[in-house]
Amino acid sequence: MSRVQTLTVAVAGVALLAPSASSAAESIHLRPSRTEARRVTAGPAAGSGLPTALAHVAVPHRGRVEPVARDGARELLTRGANPGGSVTPGPATPGPDGSGPAIPDTATPDADASDATTTTGSATPAPTESGPSPSGSGPSAPATPAPVTAADLLARVSGCTPVSKGRYRKDRGRAATVPVCGTREAVYWKADMDIDCDGRPGRHCNAATDPHFSSSTAFAQSDGRALSSEKLPYVVVPAPSSLWDYREHGVRGGSVAAVVYRDRVSYAVVGDTGPADIIGEASHAAARSLGIDPDPRSGGTPSGVTYIVFKDSRVTPLEDREAAETQGERLAREFVDSSG
């Protein structure tokens, strides 16, 4: 063999014994440093082999630095429970060819670590309208019933069962056309309204303003004085007679009355008595509360007023206007809701 042939065989043997730098890097899926590349190209040192992995060589992967363990397996950064978005290293699963760990596509950069470690749990539901009110969990108070209207009362007294033995006149010299009607709860009549200004004198009710003025009333207030027609709404009942005696039907001084005119309702007390054969009279204050002219000379109305007196009721003290209104509203509601 010539010298040239011998040299060629020797060079070929060296090439077969020394693996290329690129194949060594591919076997461990790492890019060797320039120093390691030169060492591989030159061949292994005597008595030593090519290392299977390079310790802690930084390999870029989607912008994140991943350390490599000394045993050749990459250490994948896995999400952990450490606070502050820290991660816990853990072993990776080998790749499909068994030559190295596979990097899952779901790995996220450190910039997204705070989003990945967001605490999850059951959310507190927002309050709804059907839930308990903030003020407490107990049942709500019952709703206050709507006030009784004039239409409610007029519907309740649309018929008449007479309790008087005859009929009354609205004014002297007029025909007797008004009966007193009754139910189990009340007596009532439909008439006109004349103004009774009797009682304690005042600016509107006195001998100068009313030619028929009287300083007394059939029923007195708690201090013994006469009632004030200007301050207290009261109604007048006919004096007891063979025609009708109010006392036999649960009516007395201080009994509660509801007076209806058009679409208005006013609550009053029985405060005075009038002629035994005439019906339809109320105080200055009662007329004013219903929008009727309260002047004792020219005021009043010729028709359209309904008087309802509740049996066995009484305001104490008799002059307590607020108590008359409170009791009147309650009794009117019971009267409207009853069927008797």
Side-chain angles (χ1 to χ4, degrees):
M1 180 179 296
S2 67
R3 185 176 179 180
V4 174
Q5 291 175 338
T6 303
L7 182 59
T8 301
V9 171
V11 173
V14 172
L16 291 172
L17 292 174
S20 65
S22 61
S23 63
E26 290 175 357
S27 65
I28 59 175
H29 296 278
L30 297 175
R31 180 183 298 174
S33 65
R34 293 180 180 179
T35 302
E36 293 294 335
R38 286 197 297 270
R39 190 173 66 171
V40 172
T41 303
S48 64
L50 184 67
T52 59
L54 299 179
H56 301 287
V57 177
V59 181
H61 179 73
R62 295 188 183 180
R64 187 168 75 181
V65 176
E66 298 180 357
V68 179
R70 294 183 182 273
D71 59 0
R74 293 183 184 179
E75 293 179 346
L76 295 181
L77 297 180
T78 58
R79 297 184 180 91
N82 295 335
S86 61
V87 295
T88 304
T93 304
D97 57 357
S99 60
I103 306 301
D105 291 338
T106 57
T108 55
D110 288 345
D112 298 333
S114 60
D115 294 336
T117 56
T118 302
T119 302
T120 59
S122 58
T124 302
T128 61
E129 295 182 358
S130 60
S133 61
S135 59
S137 59
S140 58
T144 303
V148 176
T149 65
D152 294 334
L153 288 169
L154 292 178
R156 184 67 177 82
V157 297
S158 58
C160 177
T161 300
V163 295
S164 60
K165 296 178 181 180
R167 297 174 183 264
Y168 287 90
R169 297 180 175 87
K170 293 180 181 179
D171 294 297
R172 193 172 301 280
R174 302 282 299 272
T177 58
V178 180
V180 176
C181 310
T183 68
R184 291 179 303 181
E185 302 88 3
V187 293
Y188 57 93
W189 55 94
K190 301 175 184 181
D192 63 342
M193 179 179 284
D194 296 324
I195 307 303
D196 182 350
C197 247
D198 295 344
R200 297 206 322 267
R203 177 183 176 185
H204 302 286
C205 294
N206 53 62
T209 60
D210 181 6
H212 305 289
F213 176 77
S214 170
S215 59
S216 64
T217 51
F219 308 104
Q221 60 183 33
S222 57
D223 60 2
R225 294 188 298 169
L227 303 180
S228 171
S229 177
E230 294 183 12
K231 296 180 179 180
L232 181 67
Y234 68 75
V235 299
V236 180
V237 293
S241 67
S242 59
L243 189 61
W244 180 63
D245 189 340
Y246 62 86
R247 296 171 297 183
E248 296 177 356
H249 296 268
V251 178
R252 53 187 169 177
S255 289
V256 182
V259 188
V260 182
Y261 179 67
R262 295 179 178 173
D263 61 348
R264 295 193 183 188
V265 179
S266 177
Y267 297 104
V269 296
V270 173
D272 203 359
T273 58
D277 61 341
I278 296 176
I279 202 169
E281 193 174 4
S283 69
H284 183 282
R288 190 171 62 247
S289 67
L290 292 168
I292 297 173
D293 183 359
D295 186 273
R297 289 179 181 267
S298 59
T301 183
S303 63
V305 181
T306 300
Y307 303 80
I308 305 169
V309 181
F310 301 107
K311 295 180 179 180
D312 302 317
S313 62
R314 189 174 189 179
V315 174
T316 304
L318 191 150
E319 68 271 17
D320 192 338
R321 181 172 181 172
E322 184 177 349
E325 293 174 353
T326 301
Q327 286 195 47
E329 181 64 40
R330 177 180 59 82
L331 292 169
R333 170 55 61 189
E334 293 175 358
F335 181 60
V336 167
D337 292 344
S338 68
S339 58

